[in-house]
Amino acid sequence: DGGITQSPKYLFRKEGQNVTLSCEQNLNHDAMYWYRQDPGQGLRLIYYSQIVNDFQKGDIAEGYSVSREKKESFPLTVTSAQKNPTAFYLCASSISARETQYFGPGTRLLVL
Amino acid sequence: QQQVKQSPQSLIVQKGGIPIINCAYENTAFDYFPWYQQFPGKGPALLIAIRPDVSEKKEGRFTISFNKSAKQFSLHIMDSQPGDSATYFCAASIRAGNMLTFGGGTRLMVKP
């Protein structure tokens, strides 16, 4: 059963805490992406990776970090430096960086 | 140059109506234009896509119209149904570039 999985579905963060959102794909896609979506807003790119062990900052990378040690995994860490982390986080992947992106179900991050 | 401008931000139609969502771009290097549909709390899903060598593409009740000279493309939903109520995003990618650029989204409501 191919696809993109994100976990957890809901995540709560305390002040000053780093949290990590998981994204896994078994589509054998080279490129992976993280987006942030605020209520009623569009998609804003946080980070993207076109190949294993390489990633680039998107439009709103401050306060976030990523790693791409395996082709199928692209975890996103929301650090304590991100002062307004409450949002819906979407992971996506594509065969190559300019082709159709397929999205996961998303993780909703809330601050306690 | 990288922007894709989408309008309207929200749209309400009666069942059976034909909502039209418009997108405009500046960069003539864009050559791939997908549309995504997103239901509340879910990740966006690819709906239909077009390349600039055709002026129109239909898939079921969904039609993309493309006007290369005007640098505009639009989504039409024929015989709209309440189940079509969702947020729709247009996007574009650059021939020699490396990722999709998304429009701001249109929230569509189809009333019974």
Side-chain angles (χ1 to χ4, degrees):
Chain A
D1 201 18
I4 303 172
T5 56
Q6 290 186 242
S7 61
K9 187 172 183 178
Y10 296 95
L11 186 58
F12 297 91
R13 193 190 92 163
K14 295 179 181 178
E15 291 288 336
Q17 185 182 40
N18 292 355
V19 291
T20 297
L21 286 62
S22 169
C23 177
E24 304 278 331
Q25 55 97 0
N26 60 5
L27 301 168
N28 200 32
H29 286 174
D30 284 319
M32 297 187 74
Y33 314 80
W34 274 106
Y35 293 90
R36 170 178 172 143
Q37 186 176 33
D38 292 285
Q41 303 296 314
L43 301 166
R44 292 189 290 169
L45 183 65
I46 305 172
Y47 269 97
Y48 66 98
S49 168
Q50 296 188 56
I51 198 168
V52 175
N53 292 322
D54 184 60
F55 49 83
Q56 305 294 329
K57 292 182 179 180
D59 301 320
I60 54 165
E62 185 174 351
Y64 300 97
S65 66
V66 294
S67 63
R68 186 85 188 276
E69 298 176 359
K70 298 186 295 182
K71 187 175 185 177
E72 58 271 22
S73 179
F74 191 41
L76 173 74
T77 297
V78 183
T79 74
S80 57
Q82 172 50 244
K83 299 306 179 187
N84 185 23
T86 297
F88 190 46
Y89 290 86
L90 288 158
C91 178
S93 71
S94 61
I95 294 173
S96 68
R98 62 179 296 282
E99 292 295 339
T100 302
Q101 294 184 19
Y102 296 90
F103 286 83
T107 291
R108 190 165 299 279
L109 177 62
L110 300 166
V111 177
L112 295 175
Chain B
Q1 281 257 318
Q2 296 290 82
Q3 275 190 318
V4 177
K5 295 182 180 180
Q6 184 171 345
S7 63
Q9 285 188 318
S10 62
L11 186 56
I12 301 173
V13 300
Q14 293 293 135
K15 177 182 175 182
I18 306 176
I20 301 173
I21 304 170
N22 300 297
C23 286
Y25 62 96
E26 289 296 322
N27 194 330
T28 55
F30 282 143
D31 70 344
Y32 177 67
F33 303 90
W35 285 88
Y36 287 84
Q37 179 188 55
Q38 183 181 30
F39 293 105
K42 305 293 184 183
L46 178 68
L47 192 61
I48 186 173
I50 197 169
R51 295 191 185 271
D53 53 343
V54 297
S55 60
E56 186 176 277
K57 183 175 181 180
K58 291 183 181 180
E59 284 189 9
R61 295 184 293 108
F62 299 92
T63 299
I64 300 179
S65 297
F66 185 80
N67 187 331
K68 189 174 182 178
S69 60
K71 291 184 285 186
Q72 295 177 347
F73 57 109
S74 60
L75 176 70
H76 303 230
I77 306 176
M78 305 301 179
D79 187 27
S80 59
Q81 302 295 313
D84 296 328
S85 297
T87 299
Y88 292 82
F89 293 96
C90 63
S93 69
I94 298 174
R95 186 182 307 118
N98 56 8
M99 70 189 69
L100 288 170
T101 299
F102 284 89
T106 297
R107 184 175 291 182
L108 171 66
M109 180 185 295
V110 181
K111 290 189 171 181

